[in-house]
Short mmCIF file of all heavy atoms in Angstrom, two decimals:
data_model
loop_
_atom_site.label_atom_id
_atom_site.label_comp_id
_atom_site.label_asym_id
_atom_site.label_seq_id
_atom_site.Cartn_x
_atom_site.Cartn_y
_atom_site.Cartn_z
N VAL A 1 4.03 -7.25 19.52
CA VAL A 1 3.06 -8.08 20.26
C VAL A 1 2.09 -8.81 19.32
O VAL A 1 1.27 -9.61 19.78
CB VAL A 1 2.20 -7.23 21.26
CG1 VAL A 1 3.14 -6.53 22.25
CG2 VAL A 1 1.30 -6.23 20.53
N ALA A 2 2.20 -8.59 18.05
CA ALA A 2 1.30 -9.25 17.06
C ALA A 2 1.42 -10.78 17.18
O ALA A 2 2.53 -11.33 17.22
CB ALA A 2 1.63 -8.82 15.63
N THR A 3 0.28 -11.45 17.27
CA THR A 3 0.27 -12.90 17.47
C THR A 3 0.15 -13.64 16.15
O THR A 3 0.30 -14.89 16.11
CB THR A 3 -0.89 -13.32 18.40
OG1 THR A 3 -2.13 -12.85 17.84
CG2 THR A 3 -0.72 -12.71 19.79
N ASN A 4 -0.15 -12.95 15.06
CA ASN A 4 -0.34 -13.61 13.79
C ASN A 4 0.95 -13.91 13.06
O ASN A 4 0.94 -14.65 12.07
CB ASN A 4 -1.26 -12.79 12.87
CG ASN A 4 -0.75 -11.40 12.67
OD1 ASN A 4 -0.50 -10.65 13.62
ND2 ASN A 4 -0.55 -11.01 11.40
N PHE A 5 2.08 -13.34 13.50
CA PHE A 5 3.36 -13.62 12.86
C PHE A 5 4.07 -14.75 13.58
O PHE A 5 4.39 -14.64 14.78
CB PHE A 5 4.26 -12.39 12.83
CG PHE A 5 3.69 -11.23 12.03
CD1 PHE A 5 3.47 -9.99 12.62
CD2 PHE A 5 3.39 -11.39 10.68
CE1 PHE A 5 2.98 -8.91 11.87
CE2 PHE A 5 2.86 -10.33 9.95
CZ PHE A 5 2.64 -9.12 10.54
N SER A 6 4.38 -15.80 12.86
CA SER A 6 5.13 -16.92 13.44
C SER A 6 6.63 -16.57 13.48
O SER A 6 7.13 -15.91 12.58
CB SER A 6 4.89 -18.21 12.63
OG SER A 6 5.37 -18.03 11.28
N ARG A 7 7.33 -17.03 14.51
CA ARG A 7 8.76 -16.74 14.67
C ARG A 7 9.03 -15.28 14.29
O ARG A 7 9.84 -14.98 13.39
CB ARG A 7 9.58 -17.69 13.80
CG ARG A 7 9.40 -19.15 14.17
CD ARG A 7 10.29 -20.08 13.37
NE ARG A 7 10.19 -19.91 11.91
CZ ARG A 7 9.26 -20.46 11.21
NH1 ARG A 7 8.34 -21.27 11.74
NH2 ARG A 7 9.24 -20.30 9.87
N LYS A 8 8.36 -14.39 15.03
CA LYS A 8 8.30 -12.98 14.62
C LYS A 8 9.63 -12.28 14.76
O LYS A 8 9.80 -11.19 14.19
CB LYS A 8 7.20 -12.24 15.36
CG LYS A 8 7.33 -12.30 16.85
CD LYS A 8 6.05 -11.73 17.47
CE LYS A 8 5.99 -11.90 18.95
NZ LYS A 8 4.68 -11.47 19.50
N ASP A 9 10.63 -12.86 15.45
CA ASP A 9 11.94 -12.23 15.55
C ASP A 9 12.84 -12.57 14.35
O ASP A 9 13.92 -11.99 14.20
CB ASP A 9 12.65 -12.65 16.85
CG ASP A 9 11.96 -12.08 18.07
OD1 ASP A 9 11.34 -11.05 17.95
OD2 ASP A 9 12.05 -12.75 19.15
N GLU A 10 12.38 -13.48 13.51
CA GLU A 10 13.18 -13.90 12.32
C GLU A 10 12.87 -12.98 11.14
O GLU A 10 11.76 -12.57 10.96
CB GLU A 10 12.88 -15.36 11.97
CG GLU A 10 13.34 -16.33 13.01
CD GLU A 10 13.06 -17.77 12.57
OE1 GLU A 10 12.70 -17.97 11.39
OE2 GLU A 10 13.20 -18.70 13.40
N PHE A 11 13.88 -12.82 10.31
CA PHE A 11 13.71 -12.08 9.05
C PHE A 11 13.24 -13.06 7.97
O PHE A 11 14.06 -13.85 7.49
CB PHE A 11 15.02 -11.38 8.64
CG PHE A 11 14.91 -10.54 7.40
CD1 PHE A 11 14.33 -9.27 7.48
CD2 PHE A 11 15.41 -10.95 6.19
CE1 PHE A 11 14.22 -8.48 6.34
CE2 PHE A 11 15.29 -10.17 5.05
CZ PHE A 11 14.72 -8.94 5.14
N ASN A 12 11.98 -12.99 7.68
CA ASN A 12 11.40 -13.96 6.76
C ASN A 12 10.44 -13.30 5.77
O ASN A 12 9.26 -13.22 6.02
CB ASN A 12 10.68 -15.04 7.56
CG ASN A 12 9.94 -16.09 6.64
OD1 ASN A 12 10.36 -16.23 5.50
ND2 ASN A 12 8.93 -16.71 7.13
N PRO A 13 10.94 -12.79 4.64
CA PRO A 13 10.08 -12.13 3.64
C PRO A 13 8.95 -12.99 3.12
O PRO A 13 7.92 -12.47 2.70
CB PRO A 13 11.05 -11.74 2.55
CG PRO A 13 12.39 -11.68 3.19
CD PRO A 13 12.36 -12.76 4.23
N ASP A 14 9.11 -14.32 3.14
CA ASP A 14 8.09 -15.23 2.64
C ASP A 14 6.75 -15.05 3.32
O ASP A 14 5.68 -15.40 2.76
CB ASP A 14 8.56 -16.66 2.71
CG ASP A 14 9.59 -16.99 1.68
OD1 ASP A 14 9.43 -16.61 0.51
OD2 ASP A 14 10.64 -17.62 2.01
N ARG A 15 6.76 -14.52 4.55
CA ARG A 15 5.49 -14.38 5.30
C ARG A 15 4.55 -13.39 4.59
O ARG A 15 3.36 -13.40 4.84
CB ARG A 15 5.76 -13.97 6.73
CG ARG A 15 6.23 -12.55 6.89
CD ARG A 15 6.32 -12.20 8.40
NE ARG A 15 7.57 -12.64 8.99
CZ ARG A 15 7.64 -13.57 9.96
NH1 ARG A 15 6.56 -14.09 10.40
NH2 ARG A 15 8.81 -13.89 10.48
N PHE A 16 5.10 -12.58 3.67
CA PHE A 16 4.26 -11.58 2.98
C PHE A 16 3.97 -12.01 1.50
O PHE A 16 3.39 -11.24 0.76
CB PHE A 16 4.93 -10.22 3.00
CG PHE A 16 4.90 -9.55 4.32
CD1 PHE A 16 6.04 -9.49 5.12
CD2 PHE A 16 3.70 -8.97 4.82
CE1 PHE A 16 6.02 -8.86 6.37
CE2 PHE A 16 3.69 -8.37 6.05
CZ PHE A 16 4.82 -8.33 6.81
N MET A 17 4.36 -13.24 1.14
CA MET A 17 4.09 -13.70 -0.19
C MET A 17 2.70 -14.26 -0.35
O MET A 17 2.07 -14.70 0.65
CB MET A 17 5.14 -14.76 -0.61
CG MET A 17 6.53 -14.20 -0.79
SD MET A 17 6.67 -12.99 -2.12
CE MET A 17 6.64 -14.08 -3.53
N GLU A 18 2.16 -14.26 -1.53
CA GLU A 18 0.83 -14.76 -1.79
C GLU A 18 0.74 -16.20 -1.36
O GLU A 18 1.58 -17.04 -1.57
CB GLU A 18 0.55 -14.67 -3.30
CG GLU A 18 -0.93 -14.60 -3.67
CD GLU A 18 -1.60 -13.34 -3.13
OE1 GLU A 18 -1.05 -12.26 -3.35
OE2 GLU A 18 -2.70 -13.47 -2.58
N GLY A 19 -0.39 -16.53 -0.68
CA GLY A 19 -0.62 -17.88 -0.18
C GLY A 19 -0.24 -18.08 1.24
O GLY A 19 -0.67 -19.09 1.88
N CYS A 20 0.56 -17.19 1.79
CA CYS A 20 0.92 -17.32 3.21
C CYS A 20 -0.20 -16.75 4.08
O CYS A 20 -0.60 -15.58 3.85
CB CYS A 20 2.24 -16.58 3.49
SG CYS A 20 2.75 -16.72 5.22
N PRO A 21 -0.73 -17.48 5.05
CA PRO A 21 -1.85 -16.97 5.87
C PRO A 21 -1.49 -15.72 6.64
O PRO A 21 -2.38 -14.92 6.94
CB PRO A 21 -2.16 -18.16 6.78
CG PRO A 21 -0.95 -19.04 6.76
CD PRO A 21 -0.36 -18.87 5.42
N GLU A 22 -0.22 -15.56 6.97
CA GLU A 22 0.19 -14.34 7.70
C GLU A 22 -0.05 -13.07 6.90
O GLU A 22 -0.32 -12.02 7.44
CB GLU A 22 1.66 -14.43 8.10
CG GLU A 22 1.95 -15.57 9.08
CD GLU A 22 3.41 -15.61 9.49
OE1 GLU A 22 4.06 -14.54 9.53
OE2 GLU A 22 3.90 -16.72 9.76
N LYS A 23 0.07 -13.17 5.58
CA LYS A 23 -0.09 -12.01 4.71
C LYS A 23 -1.47 -11.40 4.82
O LYS A 23 -1.63 -10.19 4.77
CB LYS A 23 0.17 -12.41 3.26
CG LYS A 23 -0.08 -11.30 2.24
CD LYS A 23 0.14 -11.78 0.83
CE LYS A 23 -0.13 -10.71 -0.23
NZ LYS A 23 -1.57 -10.37 -0.26
N ASP A 24 -2.50 -12.27 4.95
CA ASP A 24 -3.86 -11.79 4.94
C ASP A 24 -4.41 -11.49 6.36
O ASP A 24 -5.61 -11.23 6.46
CB ASP A 24 -4.75 -12.84 4.26
CG ASP A 24 -4.30 -13.10 2.83
OD1 ASP A 24 -3.96 -12.13 2.13
OD2 ASP A 24 -4.28 -14.26 2.43
N SER A 25 -3.58 -11.54 7.38
CA SER A 25 -4.12 -11.36 8.69
C SER A 25 -3.39 -10.24 9.48
O SER A 25 -3.29 -10.28 10.70
CB SER A 25 -3.94 -12.66 9.51
OG SER A 25 -2.59 -13.04 9.60
N CYS A 26 -2.91 -9.25 8.70
CA CYS A 26 -2.07 -8.26 9.39
C CYS A 26 -2.62 -6.83 9.27
O CYS A 26 -1.89 -5.85 9.39
CB CYS A 26 -0.64 -8.28 8.81
SG CYS A 26 -0.50 -8.05 7.03
N ARG A 27 -3.92 -6.73 9.04
CA ARG A 27 -4.52 -5.38 8.88
C ARG A 27 -4.28 -4.49 10.13
O ARG A 27 -3.94 -3.33 9.98
CB ARG A 27 -6.02 -5.49 8.64
CG ARG A 27 -6.68 -4.13 8.45
CD ARG A 27 -8.19 -4.26 8.24
NE ARG A 27 -8.80 -2.95 8.18
CZ ARG A 27 -10.11 -2.74 8.22
NH1 ARG A 27 -10.94 -3.76 8.28
NH2 ARG A 27 -10.61 -1.52 8.14
N PHE A 28 -4.41 -5.05 11.30
CA PHE A 28 -4.26 -4.26 12.52
C PHE A 28 -2.95 -4.53 13.26
O PHE A 28 -2.72 -3.99 14.32
CB PHE A 28 -5.46 -4.51 13.44
CG PHE A 28 -6.75 -4.09 12.85
CD1 PHE A 28 -7.70 -5.03 12.48
CD2 PHE A 28 -7.07 -2.76 12.65
CE1 PHE A 28 -8.92 -4.66 11.92
CE2 PHE A 28 -8.27 -2.37 12.07
CZ PHE A 28 -9.20 -3.33 11.70
N SER A 29 -2.15 -5.45 12.72
CA SER A 29 -0.90 -5.80 13.39
C SER A 29 0.37 -5.38 12.57
O SER A 29 1.47 -5.59 13.06
CB SER A 29 -0.84 -7.31 13.66
OG SER A 29 -0.99 -8.03 12.46
N TYR A 30 0.13 -4.83 11.43
CA TYR A 30 1.26 -4.37 10.58
C TYR A 30 0.96 -2.97 10.11
O TYR A 30 0.15 -2.78 9.21
CB TYR A 30 1.47 -5.34 9.42
CG TYR A 30 2.57 -4.92 8.46
CD1 TYR A 30 3.91 -5.07 8.82
CD2 TYR A 30 2.27 -4.37 7.21
CE1 TYR A 30 4.94 -4.71 7.95
CE2 TYR A 30 3.28 -4.00 6.34
CZ TYR A 30 4.63 -4.16 6.75
OH TYR A 30 5.63 -3.78 5.90
N ILE A 31 1.61 -1.94 10.73
CA ILE A 31 1.21 -0.60 10.45
C ILE A 31 2.46 0.35 10.27
O ILE A 31 2.54 1.38 10.92
CB ILE A 31 0.33 0.00 11.60
CG1 ILE A 31 0.96 -0.21 12.93
CG2 ILE A 31 -1.06 -0.65 11.51
CD1 ILE A 31 0.28 0.50 14.06
N PRO A 32 3.43 -0.01 9.44
CA PRO A 32 4.62 0.86 9.31
C PRO A 32 4.33 2.21 8.80
O PRO A 32 5.07 3.17 9.07
CB PRO A 32 5.49 0.07 8.33
CG PRO A 32 4.56 -0.77 7.55
CD PRO A 32 3.49 -1.17 8.51
N PHE A 33 3.19 2.40 8.07
CA PHE A 33 2.83 3.68 7.53
C PHE A 33 1.61 4.25 8.30
O PHE A 33 0.96 5.19 7.83
CB PHE A 33 2.47 3.59 6.07
CG PHE A 33 3.64 3.19 5.18
CD1 PHE A 33 3.72 1.90 4.70
CD2 PHE A 33 4.63 4.09 4.91
CE1 PHE A 33 4.81 1.50 3.92
CE2 PHE A 33 5.72 3.72 4.11
CZ PHE A 33 5.82 2.42 3.61
N GLY A 34 1.33 3.73 9.45
CA GLY A 34 0.09 4.14 10.19
C GLY A 34 -1.07 3.39 9.59
O GLY A 34 -0.93 2.33 8.96
N GLY A 35 -2.27 3.89 9.83
CA GLY A 35 -3.43 3.21 9.31
C GLY A 35 -4.62 4.15 9.17
O GLY A 35 -4.61 5.28 9.60
N GLY A 36 -5.64 3.63 8.49
CA GLY A 36 -6.88 4.41 8.32
C GLY A 36 -6.69 5.54 7.33
O GLY A 36 -5.78 5.60 6.53
N SER A 37 -7.58 6.51 7.44
CA SER A 37 -7.59 7.67 6.51
C SER A 37 -6.38 8.57 6.70
O SER A 37 -6.10 9.41 5.84
CB SER A 37 -8.89 8.46 6.63
OG SER A 37 -9.00 9.00 7.95
N ARG A 38 -5.70 8.47 7.86
CA ARG A 38 -4.59 9.34 8.15
C ARG A 38 -3.23 8.62 8.02
O ARG A 38 -2.23 9.03 8.58
CB ARG A 38 -4.70 9.89 9.59
CG ARG A 38 -5.83 10.86 9.76
CD ARG A 38 -5.58 12.18 9.04
NE ARG A 38 -4.30 12.76 9.42
CZ ARG A 38 -4.12 13.50 10.47
NH1 ARG A 38 -5.10 13.72 11.34
NH2 ARG A 38 -2.89 14.00 10.74
N CYS A 39 -3.19 7.54 7.22
CA CYS A 39 -1.92 6.85 7.01
C CYS A 39 -1.00 7.75 6.15
O CYS A 39 -1.43 8.71 5.52
CB CYS A 39 -2.12 5.50 6.36
SG CYS A 39 -2.67 5.56 4.66
N CYS A 40 0.26 7.42 6.13
CA CYS A 40 1.28 8.25 5.45
C CYS A 40 0.92 8.49 3.97
O CYS A 40 0.72 7.52 3.21
CB CYS A 40 2.62 7.56 5.55
SG CYS A 40 3.93 8.40 4.67
N VAL A 41 0.81 9.73 3.56
CA VAL A 41 0.41 10.05 2.20
C VAL A 41 1.52 9.69 1.21
O VAL A 41 1.27 9.50 0.02
CB VAL A 41 0.07 11.55 2.04
CG1 VAL A 41 -1.17 11.91 2.87
CG2 VAL A 41 1.25 12.42 2.42
N GLY A 42 2.73 9.61 1.67
CA GLY A 42 3.87 9.34 0.79
C GLY A 42 4.29 7.87 0.77
O GLY A 42 5.38 7.53 0.31
N LYS A 43 3.41 6.95 1.24
CA LYS A 43 3.81 5.57 1.37
C LYS A 43 4.14 4.95 -0.01
O LYS A 43 5.08 4.16 -0.13
CB LYS A 43 2.79 4.73 2.13
CG LYS A 43 1.45 4.56 1.43
CD LYS A 43 0.54 3.69 2.32
CE LYS A 43 -0.78 3.41 1.60
NZ LYS A 43 -1.67 2.54 2.43
N GLU A 44 3.35 5.28 -1.05
CA GLU A 44 3.65 4.72 -2.39
C GLU A 44 4.96 5.25 -2.93
O GLU A 44 5.73 4.55 -3.58
CB GLU A 44 2.51 4.99 -3.33
CG GLU A 44 1.18 4.34 -2.94
CD GLU A 44 1.30 2.84 -2.73
OE1 GLU A 44 2.05 2.21 -3.49
OE2 GLU A 44 0.66 2.30 -1.83
N PHE A 45 5.24 6.55 -2.65
CA PHE A 45 6.53 7.11 -3.02
C PHE A 45 7.68 6.35 -2.37
O PHE A 45 8.66 5.98 -3.00
CB PHE A 45 6.57 8.57 -2.60
CG PHE A 45 7.87 9.28 -2.78
CD1 PHE A 45 8.19 9.92 -4.00
CD2 PHE A 45 8.80 9.33 -1.76
CE1 PHE A 45 9.44 10.53 -4.16
CE2 PHE A 45 10.03 10.00 -1.90
CZ PHE A 45 10.31 10.61 -3.12
N ALA A 46 7.51 6.09 -1.08
CA ALA A 46 8.55 5.41 -0.31
C ALA A 46 8.75 3.96 -0.83
O ALA A 46 9.87 3.48 -1.00
CB ALA A 46 8.19 5.35 1.18
N LYS A 47 7.64 3.26 -1.11
CA LYS A 47 7.72 1.88 -1.57
C LYS A 47 8.49 1.83 -2.93
O LYS A 47 9.33 0.92 -3.13
CB LYS A 47 6.35 1.29 -1.76
CG LYS A 47 5.60 0.99 -0.45
CD LYS A 47 4.19 0.48 -0.73
CE LYS A 47 3.41 0.26 0.55
NZ LYS A 47 2.01 -0.20 0.24
N ILE A 48 8.15 2.74 -3.83
CA ILE A 48 8.82 2.74 -5.13
C ILE A 48 10.31 3.07 -5.01
O ILE A 48 11.16 2.41 -5.58
CB ILE A 48 8.13 3.77 -6.07
CG1 ILE A 48 6.75 3.18 -6.51
CG2 ILE A 48 8.98 4.09 -7.28
CD1 ILE A 48 5.92 4.16 -7.36
#
C-alpha cells in the first residue's frame, strides 16, 4: 500500500540508488527487517 513507490509492481533496483527520491521516503513504508528498536538483530548478517 506504500504510495511513495512509483510503479510498485515492477522490479526496479534503481529506486534505491542515491539521488532517487523514493530512496529517502521509505522509513515507514519499507520494513523487511521490521522497524524501531526491535528490528531484526541479524539484518546486517543477512545483508552481507
